[in-house]
Structure formats: C-alpha cells, structure tokens
Amino acid sequence: MERSRLLECLAADVARLREVAASDLTAAVPSCPGWTVADLVRHVAEVYLHKVECMRLNTFPDPWPPADLESEPPIEQLNRAYAELTGEFAARDAASPSRTWHEPDQTVGFWIRRMAQETVIHRLDAELALGVPVATIPEDLAVDGIDEVLKLFVDYGSHAWVEDFEPVLAGAEGRTVIVGVDGGPGWLVRTETTGAVVSDADPAAAASMPVGATVSGSAAGVLRWLWARESPGVSDVQVEGDDATLAELRKLLVASTQ
C-alpha cells in the first residue's frame, strides 16, 4: 500500500478508536483478557510514542516506557501520541532510516505500515469491548494486514525468535494451510521444526495441492480470523481441513502476535 493510503487508514481508525473508547473506558476488552478500554487506549498511545523514539533515535529507546505515562488521562495521551507520531512521519521520507524489529526493513515506511495495521486491530478491540457495530475494514488494508501477519509475524518471527516458537513447532510435520481471500490473493503456510514458511499462492490451487487445511473468506473476515478478533457468533470465513493442522496454525498465530 502507498504511504498516503496507509496514513489515511491510520487516521480513520484512530478517530474511530477514540470515538468508541470515550464512551466507557472501564469496559473489559474480551479480545485482550485482563484489559479495560483505558488499558487498550494507553497501550496504543505507548506504542505510538515508542515508534516516535525509534525514529528520532534510530534505536530502541531504553529504558521504556517513561515513568510518567500513567499520570496522563488515556484519551489525552492517545491524542498527544498520535500527533507526535504523525508529526514524525510527516518530517521523514518513507525510506528514511529507523530502527525496527524487522531486520530487512529498517525504515520509517515499516512503521507507517505497522502503525496502520496496529490501529485497525485495536479499534476492533474497542468495538468488541463496547458491543458497537464494527466499522468497515477497507479491502486494501485488510489484504495488506493478512500479508503482514503471515509473512512478518509468522514467517519472519518464527525464524528470528526460534525459542519462542519451539513449543509450537517441535512436532511440526510439514503441515500446510492455504489462506485465501475470495476473488483475491492467497498465501501458502508450511510449518517445519525450523520455522514456518509463507509464500504467495493461488487459492484455487487448494484443489490440486496436498494441503492440510484452508481458511478463506472476505479480506476483512480473514484478517479478523487470523487476529482472533471475530464478533461472537458471526463469521464469513470458511475453515476446512485437518483439526491438527488448524490447531497448529492457531498456536503459531498466538505465538507470533501475543
């Protein structure tokens, strides 16, 4: 996705998060057990401020977080953090250097994408917590989010932080899953004891490939399924195949994103 489009989506989702969260900061967040909406808002603000420092310092700030963050009201903190984040984005090209956790991409552009995707997931958390209608997730943002969570969190993560994935992959047997978007792109996920490998795939190939399971549906639906952010009892995602393969994928996703 283009920088301008990602920033447009980020702006819309932080506005929605702010709007929903302000109605009840004390509500529990079912998709983030143990958190209230206030905790959720503070988390997003803290993430924004951390990325600001990554760009300013071109390294991870240490120590982190600052001791005084808890003293600021959550919505005010979110507003300040978002202003600082977008200010840093505006002052830099996407190709400008910034420390990130993805070694192949040490640029501001990585954080523009990551913060857009971070925010859409957490505004879903707020909507689920307050029981309000879930705002539309644009198709392009959802497809990009699926690609990010599978290729960066699952594939890159399982190779970069092997020890975190050992409990999940110790018994991996080359299981494969095709994740597909209706009428759109697809991804092939294959697990080995050394990590998960994700590659682009034609969803139609599921009919002719020895895959263990398939996950398919609308782009927004698949993104929500991968992040375990589906509304209770509501889903347009079709999940088929071997239970062990699907359980392994879910464990991989939890290890990648928690």
Side-chain angles (χ1 to χ4, degrees), residues 116-132:
Q117 295 296 345
E118 177 89 2
T119 306
V120 70
I121 296 303
H122 286 317
R123 67 92 161 160
L124 279 170
D125 288 325
E127 291 166 329
L128 293 171
L130 275 301
V132 298

PDB file of all heavy atoms in Angstrom, residues 116-132:
ATOM      1  N   ALA A 116      -0.502   1.544  11.002  1.00  0.00           N
ATOM      2  CA  ALA A 116      -1.831   1.453  10.387  1.00  0.00           C
ATOM      3  C   ALA A 116      -2.469   0.119  10.734  1.00  0.00           C
ATOM      4  O   ALA A 116      -3.651   0.047  11.096  1.00  0.00           O
ATOM      5  CB  ALA A 116      -1.735   1.633   8.874  1.00  0.00           C
ATOM      6  N   GLN A 117      -1.695  -0.958  10.656  1.00  0.00           N
ATOM      7  CA  GLN A 117      -2.230  -2.280  10.960  1.00  0.00           C
ATOM      8  C   GLN A 117      -2.456  -2.469  12.466  1.00  0.00           C
ATOM      9  O   GLN A 117      -3.441  -3.094  12.875  1.00  0.00           O
ATOM     10  CB  GLN A 117      -1.293  -3.369  10.418  1.00  0.00           C
ATOM     11  CG  GLN A 117      -1.174  -3.387   8.900  1.00  0.00           C
ATOM     12  CD  GLN A 117      -2.487  -3.711   8.206  1.00  0.00           C
ATOM     13  OE1 GLN A 117      -3.437  -4.197   8.820  1.00  0.00           O
ATOM     14  NE2 GLN A 117      -2.551  -3.440   6.909  1.00  0.00           N
ATOM     15  N   GLU A 118      -1.585  -1.941  13.286  1.00  0.00           N
ATOM     16  CA  GLU A 118      -1.774  -1.990  14.735  1.00  0.00           C
ATOM     17  C   GLU A 118      -3.086  -1.329  15.132  1.00  0.00           C
ATOM     18  O   GLU A 118      -3.838  -1.832  15.973  1.00  0.00           O
ATOM     19  CB  GLU A 118      -0.601  -1.260  15.422  1.00  0.00           C
ATOM     20  CG  GLU A 118      -0.695  -1.157  16.936  1.00  0.00           C
ATOM     21  CD  GLU A 118      -0.074  -2.334  17.652  1.00  0.00           C
ATOM     22  OE1 GLU A 118       0.467  -3.229  16.988  1.00  0.00           O
ATOM     23  OE2 GLU A 118      -0.133  -2.348  18.900  1.00  0.00           O
ATOM     24  N   THR A 119      -3.361  -0.197  14.509  1.00  0.00           N
ATOM     25  CA  THR A 119      -4.510   0.604  14.921  1.00  0.00           C
ATOM     26  C   THR A 119      -5.824  -0.022  14.503  1.00  0.00           C
ATOM     27  O   THR A 119      -6.810   0.009  15.255  1.00  0.00           O
ATOM     28  CB  THR A 119      -4.376   2.031  14.376  1.00  0.00           C
ATOM     29  OG1 THR A 119      -3.100   2.565  14.781  1.00  0.00           O
ATOM     30  CG2 THR A 119      -5.477   2.932  14.915  1.00  0.00           C
ATOM     31  N   VAL A 120      -5.890  -0.598  13.313  1.00  0.00           N
ATOM     32  CA  VAL A 120      -7.160  -1.207  12.896  1.00  0.00           C
ATOM     33  C   VAL A 120      -7.512  -2.382  13.807  1.00  0.00           C
ATOM     34  O   VAL A 120      -8.692  -2.576  14.155  1.00  0.00           O
ATOM     35  CB  VAL A 120      -7.133  -1.627  11.410  1.00  0.00           C
ATOM     36  CG1 VAL A 120      -6.211  -2.805  11.153  1.00  0.00           C
ATOM     37  CG2 VAL A 120      -8.548  -1.967  10.935  1.00  0.00           C
ATOM     38  N   ILE A 121      -6.521  -3.147  14.239  1.00  0.00           N
ATOM     39  CA  ILE A 121      -6.803  -4.274  15.135  1.00  0.00           C
ATOM     40  C   ILE A 121      -7.280  -3.771  16.498  1.00  0.00           C
ATOM     41  O   ILE A 121      -8.240  -4.310  17.075  1.00  0.00           O
ATOM     42  CB  ILE A 121      -5.560  -5.169  15.279  1.00  0.00           C
ATOM     43  CG1 ILE A 121      -5.201  -5.816  13.921  1.00  0.00           C
ATOM     44  CG2 ILE A 121      -5.789  -6.243  16.343  1.00  0.00           C
ATOM     45  CD1 ILE A 121      -6.318  -6.630  13.293  1.00  0.00           C
ATOM     46  N   HIS A 122      -6.666  -2.719  16.994  1.00  0.00           N
ATOM     47  CA  HIS A 122      -7.054  -2.244  18.322  1.00  0.00           C
ATOM     48  C   HIS A 122      -8.355  -1.442  18.307  1.00  0.00           C
ATOM     49  O   HIS A 122      -9.062  -1.410  19.319  1.00  0.00           O
ATOM     50  CB  HIS A 122      -5.914  -1.460  18.948  1.00  0.00           C
ATOM     51  CG  HIS A 122      -4.802  -2.344  19.421  1.00  0.00           C
ATOM     52  ND1 HIS A 122      -5.027  -3.527  20.090  1.00  0.00           N
ATOM     53  CD2 HIS A 122      -3.446  -2.226  19.327  1.00  0.00           C
ATOM     54  CE1 HIS A 122      -3.874  -4.103  20.378  1.00  0.00           C
ATOM     55  NE2 HIS A 122      -2.898  -3.339  19.925  1.00  0.00           N
ATOM     56  N   ARG A 123      -8.727  -0.843  17.185  1.00  0.00           N
ATOM     57  CA  ARG A 123     -10.065  -0.240  17.168  1.00  0.00           C
ATOM     58  C   ARG A 123     -11.130  -1.332  17.115  1.00  0.00           C
ATOM     59  O   ARG A 123     -12.219  -1.164  17.661  1.00  0.00           O
ATOM     60  CB  ARG A 123     -10.211   0.805  16.066  1.00  0.00           C
ATOM     61  CG  ARG A 123     -10.179   0.327  14.638  1.00  0.00           C
ATOM     62  CD  ARG A 123     -11.574   0.016  14.073  1.00  0.00           C
ATOM     63  NE  ARG A 123     -11.531   0.006  12.620  1.00  0.00           N
ATOM     64  CZ  ARG A 123     -12.428  -0.574  11.862  1.00  0.00           C
ATOM     65  NH1 ARG A 123     -13.448  -1.224  12.395  1.00  0.00           N
ATOM     66  NH2 ARG A 123     -12.320  -0.544  10.547  1.00  0.00           N
ATOM     67  N   LEU A 124     -10.796  -2.485  16.520  1.00  0.00           N
ATOM     68  CA  LEU A 124     -11.682  -3.641  16.612  1.00  0.00           C
ATOM     69  C   LEU A 124     -11.844  -4.063  18.072  1.00  0.00           C
ATOM     70  O   LEU A 124     -12.948  -4.390  18.518  1.00  0.00           O
ATOM     71  CB  LEU A 124     -11.119  -4.808  15.813  1.00  0.00           C
ATOM     72  CG  LEU A 124     -11.338  -4.840  14.304  1.00  0.00           C
ATOM     73  CD1 LEU A 124     -10.484  -5.939  13.690  1.00  0.00           C
ATOM     74  CD2 LEU A 124     -12.802  -5.047  13.961  1.00  0.00           C
ATOM     75  N   ASP A 125     -10.740  -4.067  18.818  1.00  0.00           N
ATOM     76  CA  ASP A 125     -10.815  -4.416  20.231  1.00  0.00           C
ATOM     77  C   ASP A 125     -11.793  -3.508  20.969  1.00  0.00           C
ATOM     78  O   ASP A 125     -12.588  -3.976  21.799  1.00  0.00           O
ATOM     79  CB  ASP A 125      -9.435  -4.293  20.882  1.00  0.00           C
ATOM     80  CG  ASP A 125      -8.476  -5.389  20.448  1.00  0.00           C
ATOM     81  OD1 ASP A 125      -8.935  -6.522  20.231  1.00  0.00           O
ATOM     82  OD2 ASP A 125      -7.276  -5.101  20.343  1.00  0.00           O
ATOM     83  N   ALA A 126     -11.721  -2.211  20.694  1.00  0.00           N
ATOM     84  CA  ALA A 126     -12.615  -1.267  21.358  1.00  0.00           C
ATOM     85  C   ALA A 126     -14.068  -1.517  20.959  1.00  0.00           C
ATOM     86  O   ALA A 126     -14.974  -1.485  21.808  1.00  0.00           O
ATOM     87  CB  ALA A 126     -12.203   0.165  21.028  1.00  0.00           C
ATOM     88  N   GLU A 127     -14.298  -1.770  19.691  1.00  0.00           N
ATOM     89  CA  GLU A 127     -15.662  -2.023  19.224  1.00  0.00           C
ATOM     90  C   GLU A 127     -16.231  -3.291  19.851  1.00  0.00           C
ATOM     91  O   GLU A 127     -17.403  -3.330  20.259  1.00  0.00           O
ATOM     92  CB  GLU A 127     -15.674  -2.117  17.691  1.00  0.00           C
ATOM     93  CG  GLU A 127     -15.399  -0.779  17.018  1.00  0.00           C
ATOM     94  CD  GLU A 127     -15.076  -0.904  15.535  1.00  0.00           C
ATOM     95  OE1 GLU A 127     -14.492  -1.942  15.130  1.00  0.00           O
ATOM     96  OE2 GLU A 127     -15.386   0.026  14.794  1.00  0.00           O
ATOM     97  N   LEU A 128     -15.418  -4.333  19.944  1.00  0.00           N
ATOM     98  CA  LEU A 128     -15.862  -5.574  20.566  1.00  0.00           C
ATOM     99  C   LEU A 128     -16.125  -5.373  22.057  1.00  0.00           C
ATOM    100  O   LEU A 128     -17.062  -5.942  22.620  1.00  0.00           O
ATOM    101  CB  LEU A 128     -14.814  -6.669  20.344  1.00  0.00           C
ATOM    102  CG  LEU A 128     -14.628  -7.135  18.898  1.00  0.00           C
ATOM    103  CD1 LEU A 128     -13.411  -8.054  18.786  1.00  0.00           C
ATOM    104  CD2 LEU A 128     -15.871  -7.844  18.380  1.00  0.00           C
ATOM    105  N   ALA A 129     -15.315  -4.556  22.701  1.00  0.00           N
ATOM    106  CA  ALA A 129     -15.483  -4.305  24.126  1.00  0.00           C
ATOM    107  C   ALA A 129     -16.779  -3.564  24.424  1.00  0.00           C
ATOM    108  O   ALA A 129     -17.462  -3.860  25.412  1.00  0.00           O
ATOM    109  CB  ALA A 129     -14.300  -3.502  24.659  1.00  0.00           C
ATOM    110  N   LEU A 130     -17.127  -2.620  23.571  1.00  0.00           N
ATOM    111  CA  LEU A 130     -18.311  -1.794  23.809  1.00  0.00           C
ATOM    112  C   LEU A 130     -19.561  -2.352  23.141  1.00  0.00           C
ATOM    113  O   LEU A 130     -20.659  -1.815  23.317  1.00  0.00           O
ATOM    114  CB  LEU A 130     -18.057  -0.364  23.337  1.00  0.00           C
ATOM    115  CG  LEU A 130     -17.365   0.577  24.343  1.00  0.00           C
ATOM    116  CD1 LEU A 130     -18.155   0.710  25.622  1.00  0.00           C
ATOM    117  CD2 LEU A 130     -15.946   0.128  24.645  1.00  0.00           C
ATOM    118  N   GLY A 131     -19.422  -3.411  22.345  1.00  0.00           N
ATOM    119  CA  GLY A 131     -20.569  -4.016  21.695  1.00  0.00           C
ATOM    120  C   GLY A 131     -21.227  -3.137  20.654  1.00  0.00           C
ATOM    121  O   GLY A 131     -22.432  -3.224  20.428  1.00  0.00           O
ATOM    122  N   VAL A 132     -20.428  -2.304  19.991  1.00  0.00           N
ATOM    123  CA  VAL A 132     -20.956  -1.408  18.968  1.00  0.00           C
ATOM    124  C   VAL A 132     -20.677  -2.000  17.592  1.00  0.00           C
ATOM    125  O   VAL A 132     -19.835  -2.893  17.444  1.00  0.00           O
ATOM    126  CB  VAL A 132     -20.319  -0.012  19.079  1.00  0.00           C
ATOM    127  CG1 VAL A 132     -20.654   0.617  20.439  1.00  0.00           C
ATOM    128  CG2 VAL A 132     -18.802  -0.070  18.881  1.00  0.00           C
TER     129      VAL A 132
END
